[in-house]
Amino acid sequence: MKKVLSHVDSNMNNLVSSLQTLIRQPSVSAKNEGIEECANLVKKMLQKSGVKSQILRLGKNIPPVVYGEIKSKKNPNKTLLFYNHYDVQPAEPFDLWDFPPFSAKIKGNKIFGRGSADDKGELITRIKAVEAHLKVNGDVPCNIKFVIEGEEEVGSPHIDPYLKKFKKKFSCDGVIWEFGYVDSKNRPIVGLGMKGLLFVELIAKESIRDAHSSLAVLIKNPAWKLVEAVKTLRDSNGKILIKDWYKEVKPLTKTDLKIIKREPFDDSDFKKEFGIKSFVGNKKGMEAKKALVAGPTCNIAGFVSGYTGEGAKTVLPGEALVKIDFRLVPEMDPKKQVQRLKKHLKAKGFGDLKIKVYHGEAAARTSPSHPFVKQVKQAADESYGKSIINVSNAGTGPMHSFVKILGAPCISIGSTYMFARIHSPNEFARIDLLKKTTKCVCLIMDKFGKN
Ligand SMILES: [Zn+2]
């Protein structure tokens, strides 16, 4: 392993210039800009590193998945899969960037550019780790597969059908997730799960057109109706009031609680960051940490009705709309939850609201006692000095699809500095973290292959 790791050290220039090449190829899925070109570039890059690769397709207008595979001569019975994405978020607003977003400008320890961290930076650490093993040993410690999609930034609408169609091809014993954060004290976070998400829109309609507000004595206001409906969903402490909403949810285990306790979290720093005085339900310390890991939410993402422009306008709107996202935790089935929401609204007298469901995705978690967790944690400790285990990220990703369809544990680990401005202007990757993560991935492959 020493030789493999020192190969990473002496080939950092090569890693950095490969990442620059990737950044310079825009691949904005939201605008279908450069998607095919980027997929081809990634395919070529994999091949150059010694990984057999091909473009997989589901249909004509669906962005392709780049697939890569290399069999281990030494250990052909175990397979590690890297899931990443080659698409990026739009770079707008361009004028807030210090350097052009697709120029891959290097300044000191940072490479700036859209996708430098999310997710081209992460992808390059996986590719270069495999390359290091191949260059030094002419072999990899276990079979390696790459599944690199082009729609992550638009919600991975086709990852499920891709996984189903190519289930056999993608079969594996463990998945390294596409992202991974490093905190302000240079500790990588070994993530074992993601929450699920249910996104809905509720629409209330009353009159066929907006009216003069003097008529509010006679015409019902749909905005009031929505306010009243939404008020029945959740109490002021954040508890969701829909019947059976928490029915399948299991409490955190003793091990989960132990891990959560060990996670660093500073209430006052967090509050300062957002300029807030207190948390929902006045949570403190451990309660706040538990909520981040395992708290379901009912959040108003947007509320629109009537006149919202400058100054006054006495209007009685004909329509009102609210967008709500619910974060889900393991065992909550988005389809079941939608039915419960509908039933609830009907029972409360709001059966005439129109409900539009945009997105439903279940949560996923890998058990902390799975041997894969120990291997990744050890690799992270060796490479970074220290790491932190996180039972579940507070956000959502298609992890459940991988766990359910491939039946493999998923763990996130990576090189993205917590404040790397991903999705924002001046996104950057830190070269020191790219190096540590590449070494960490080399070590993960080695440990995974041995056990
Ligand atoms: Zn992203």
Side-chain angles (χ1 to χ4, degrees), residues 85 87-89 118-119 152-153 178 181 422-423:
H85 60 93
D87 66 322
V88 299
Q89 285 275 327
D118 176 15
D119 186 43
E152 199 275 342
E153 299 294 5
E178 46 106 0
Y181 293 109
I422 61 170
H423 294 204

Side-chain angles (χ1 to χ4, degrees), residues 349-379:
F350 302 103
D352 55 343
L353 293 180
K354 211 174 119 196
I355 303 174
K356 203 166 157 186
V357 180
Y358 279 92
H359 187 73
E361 188 167 343
R365 252 185 234 168
T366 289
S367 160
S369 59
H370 196 290
F372 189 31
V373 178
K374 202 168 151 196
Q375 291 155 8
V376 175
K377 163 92 173 125
Q378 275 176 355

Side-chain angles (χ1 to χ4, degrees), residues 53-100:
S53 73
Q54 65 182 122
I55 300 273
L56 303 179
R57 287 183 197 278
L58 268 189
K60 221 178 162 196
N61 295 317
I62 298 172
V65 159
V66 184
Y67 176 70
E69 183 177 341
I70 177 139
K71 285 226 160 69
S72 168
K73 294 173 215 161
K74 198 166 64 184
N75 183 12
N77 297 320
K78 238 178 144 191
T79 304
L80 185 64
L81 185 145
F82 296 116
Y83 162 63
N84 288 90
H85 60 93
Y86 61 83
D87 66 322
V88 299
Q89 285 275 327
E92 285 87 345
F94 291 115
D95 53 327
L96 293 183
W97 286 80
D98 293 338
F99 315 106

Side-chain angles (χ1 to χ4, degrees), residues 56 67 81 147 162-163 166-172 406:
L56 303 179
Y67 176 70
L81 185 145
V147 171
Y162 266 117
L163 288 169
F166 298 103
K167 189 177 165 184
K168 244 190 173 159
K169 207 180 191 67
F170 297 171
S171 73
C172 62
L406 302 184

Side-chain angles (χ1 to χ4, degrees), residues 261-440:
K261 215 169 192 174
R262 263 187 248 134
E263 269 188 75
F265 180 79
D266 189 314
D267 291 38
S268 52
D269 269 4
F270 190 100
K271 286 175 194 159
K272 224 191 278 94
E273 181 73 29
F274 290 93
I276 56 173
K277 289 201 175 69
S278 62
F279 290 146
V280 173
N282 228 357
K283 288 186 195 76
K284 285 184 179 75
M286 186 64 182
E287 284 309 307
K289 293 206 279 184
K290 270 163 65 182
L292 282 171
V293 166
T297 63
C298 168
N299 174 60
I300 298 176
F303 206 134
V304 200
S305 188
Y307 179 70
T308 55
E310 220 178 297
K313 183 189 177 190
T314 47
V315 67
L316 199 171
E319 190 176 313
L321 179 156
V322 62
K323 288 177 186 281
I324 297 178
D325 63 77
F326 295 92
R327 294 282 163 185
L328 309 176
V329 300
E331 311 303 329
M332 281 179 162
D333 172 3
K335 278 189 192 133
K336 236 187 224 172
Q337 302 303 87
V338 169
Q339 291 316 315
R340 286 170 177 160
L341 170 67
K342 285 182 178 166
K343 225 171 137 183
H344 169 89
L345 289 170
K346 210 172 164 189
K348 295 284 174 189
F350 302 103
D352 55 343
L353 293 180
K354 211 174 119 196
I355 303 174
K356 203 166 157 186
V357 180
Y358 279 92
H359 187 73
E361 188 167 343
R365 252 185 234 168
T366 289
S367 160
S369 59
H370 196 290
F372 189 31
V373 178
K374 202 168 151 196
Q375 291 155 8
V376 175
K377 163 92 173 125
Q378 275 176 355
D381 287 343
E382 281 172 39
S383 174
Y384 283 85
K386 207 174 187 187
S387 65
I388 295 160
I389 296 205
N390 172 246
V391 173
S392 173
N393 191 293
T396 300
M399 201 178 254
H400 181 74
S401 299
F402 283 79
V403 172
K404 187 185 64 184
I405 299 166
L406 302 184
C410 293
I411 299 181
S412 74
I413 175 91
S415 59
T416 302
Y417 175 56
M418 245 177 185
F419 305 110
R421 303 186 202 137
I422 61 170
H423 294 204
S424 317
N426 297 323
E427 174 180 355
F428 64 85
R430 268 172 50 183
I431 297 169
D432 62 326
L433 299 181
L434 290 170
K435 183 154 97 180
K436 282 181 180 162
T437 303
T438 306
K439 288 182 178 178
C440 176

